[in-house]
Amino acid sequence: MKTDERILQFFAEHEGTYLSGETLAKNLDMSRAAVWKAIQKLTEQGHVIDSQHHVGYRYQSGKVLSAPMIKQLTHNDWHIQLLGSVDSTNTYAKKMLARGDVTVPTMIVANQQTGGRGRLGRTFVSPADTGLYISFALPLPIGTLVLPGLLTTGTAVAVSRAIKKTIGIELDFKWVNDLLFKNRKVGGILTEAVMDFESQQVSAIVVGIGLNLQRPKNLDATLENKVGGMVTELTVSRNTIVAALCDEFVKLYAEYTDGSFLTAYRKRNIVIGRTITVKYGKELVTGVAKAIDEQGQLLVDTGDDIKIINSGEVLKVQLPNDVYQG
Ligand code: BTN
């Protein structure tokens, strides 16, 4: 590992702490001059390192998203692209994939979205600094099996694992793609396909994840009682959370088709036993959500028969008054 990478690693392990040049030099077995040089290099690369005379250096990872820091903290070799502000990371990812600019699995992260998109044409409020907006751009080698229902439910489990590891809270799921904490929506997943024009086949998948780590301010009246945040104050850096999420997603993507995560998904899903309204073909059907099957689909008992609902079709879930109703 290069000198600057070793320093970055040490900063990552001592988040939020001032480290003197001497401490860094001693622990990493290098000269003070080498430390100073490496810190200059890291600053030039875009890292924000606070330097206090007679105190030392502190990596300001808390507020600033940094691609090299995320890279340093992950345990996989997927590509990472960090954007300050973008309309939508999903739209961006789809464009890059369609143009052939992304040819290997890539995580695209933005600090802010000006046109964040949710399911069913909704918007996803995406202010700077308090949330995370991530799209996994996944080119599909010919013949790859894609099971969108399982990919979305599996992603929910991957996100919840990363949040448990880093923030320490347990998220609930509202089938199929809503992430809840304390009965408020704190995140959502939007899985989209990219079609190859010539072959008319799906050539890539984009899995978009939006998280309100802190509750967005100035929500409009319709969202006021529905949207929440995971924490009031962020004590873990977003780089750490993104890195954990990336690792969990990479693991999940390698094995999601076996559905082994479904036990965890079912355990924290709040929809089972509730009355829901779904679009089934051209009709609207109301029934009781009974179970989630092995493909991640919802089985709904309408009274006459059991309908099998896939991800695009739920319109309304009747939940107790204090629970987010999407
Ligand atoms: C939903 O709640 O309906 C899904 C929300 C998905 C939001 C994420 S944020 C990152 C990615 N880019 C988008 O425009 N949408 C997804």
Side-chain angles (χ1 to χ4, degrees), residues 174-191:
K174 183 166 82 60
W175 191 90
V176 59
N177 70 321
D178 282 343
L179 304 165
L180 309 187
F181 181 57
K182 294 190 176 162
N183 293 336
R184 295 281 182 271
K185 176 159 171 161
V186 294
I189 298 161
L190 180 65
T191 306

Side-chain angles (χ1 to χ4, degrees), residues 88-90 113 116-119 124 134 177 185 188-189 209-210:
S88 150
T89 53
N90 264 36
Q113 292 184 127
R117 297 187 290 107
R119 283 183 66 236
F124 188 82
I134 298 173
N177 70 321
K185 176 159 171 161
I189 298 161
I209 302 163

Side-chain angles (χ1 to χ4, degrees), residues 5-305:
E5 288 173 353
R6 290 175 60 215
I7 290 187
L8 207 49
Q9 176 77 49
F10 201 74
F11 277 133
E13 289 160 3
H14 298 83
E15 214 179 285
T17 315
Y18 274 101
L19 300 164
S20 67
E22 194 185 342
T23 306
L24 286 164
K26 242 192 212 156
N27 279 278
L28 299 170
D29 197 20
M30 56 179 78
S31 69
R32 297 270 301 268
V35 168
W36 187 85
K37 226 169 133 190
I39 289 195
Q40 297 309 306
K41 191 169 164 200
L42 288 169
T43 308
E44 277 157 26
Q45 286 168 1
H47 294 273
V48 181
I49 298 166
D50 182 21
S51 155
Q52 293 252 348
H53 199 50
H54 294 313
V55 182
Y57 305 99
R58 186 180 60 163
Y59 190 87
Q60 290 205 327
S61 53
K63 294 198 182 80
V64 185
L65 280 172
S66 150
M69 188 62 159
I70 296 168
K71 190 84 210 132
Q72 192 65 41
L73 293 167
T74 51
H75 300 96
N76 65 74
D77 59 0
W78 281 23
H79 288 197
I80 296 171
Q81 272 194 43
L82 178 62
L83 309 166
S85 180
V86 68
D87 53 352
S88 150
T89 53
N90 264 36
T91 308
Y92 176 89
K94 287 204 289 183
K95 272 189 214 151
M96 300 295 277
L97 285 160
R99 273 197 228 138
D101 289 345
V102 167
T103 53
V104 290
T106 300
M107 176 173 70
I108 296 155
V109 186
N111 187 42
Q112 178 187 28
Q113 292 184 127
T114 52
R117 297 187 290 107
R119 283 183 66 236
L120 308 170
R122 294 183 180 132
T123 53
F124 188 82
V125 179
S126 314
D129 304 331
T130 56
L132 285 173
Y133 319 108
I134 298 173
S135 293
F136 288 101
L138 307 165
L140 299 176
I142 292 162
T144 311
L145 178 66
V146 182
L147 301 171
L150 283 185
L151 188 53
T152 303
T153 47
T155 300
V157 173
V159 172
S160 74
R161 285 177 180 152
I163 293 299
K164 173 85 181 138
K165 271 190 192 157
T166 52
I167 300 187
I169 60 168
E170 294 273 8
L171 299 181
D172 294 315
F173 313 126
K174 183 166 82 60
W175 191 90
V176 59
N177 70 321
D178 282 343
L179 304 165
L180 309 187
F181 181 57
K182 294 190 176 162
N183 293 336
R184 295 281 182 271
K185 176 159 171 161
V186 294
I189 298 161
L190 180 65
T191 306
E192 299 185 288
V194 178
M195 292 290 289
D196 178 64
F197 189 70
E198 272 173 22
S199 66
Q200 284 299 298
Q201 296 210 335
V202 175
S203 60
I205 293 281
V206 175
V207 179
I209 302 163
L211 301 177
N212 307 329
L213 301 173
Q214 289 167 283
R215 188 170 184 273
K217 295 196 178 97
N218 310 322
L219 288 166
D220 73 36
T222 55
L223 296 176
E224 186 60 33
N225 295 323
K226 298 177 175 176
V227 172
M230 297 182 201
V231 289
T232 39
E233 194 124 338
L234 204 54
T235 51
V236 186
S237 96
R238 287 185 299 157
N239 295 317
T240 304
I241 302 169
V242 175
L245 207 155
C246 187
D247 282 339
E248 290 295 339
F249 185 84
V250 170
K251 257 190 262 166
L252 181 277
Y253 191 58
E255 58 186 34
Y256 80 94
T257 52
D258 71 9
S260 54
F261 62 83
L262 278 169
T263 313
Y265 186 80
R266 291 180 182 120
K267 214 163 120 194
R268 297 205 70 89
N269 200 285
I270 61 158
V271 166
I272 302 304
R274 311 268 185 213
T275 301
I276 69 168
T277 301
V278 295
K279 196 161 159 251
Y280 190 77
K282 286 191 177 147
E283 338 153 40
L284 289 188
V285 192
T286 296
V288 177
K290 283 289 180 195
I292 290 159
D293 74 6
E294 292 304 298
Q295 279 82 49
Q297 305 172 115
L298 194 63
L299 306 190
V300 178
D301 186 352
T302 64
D304 296 330
D305 56 5

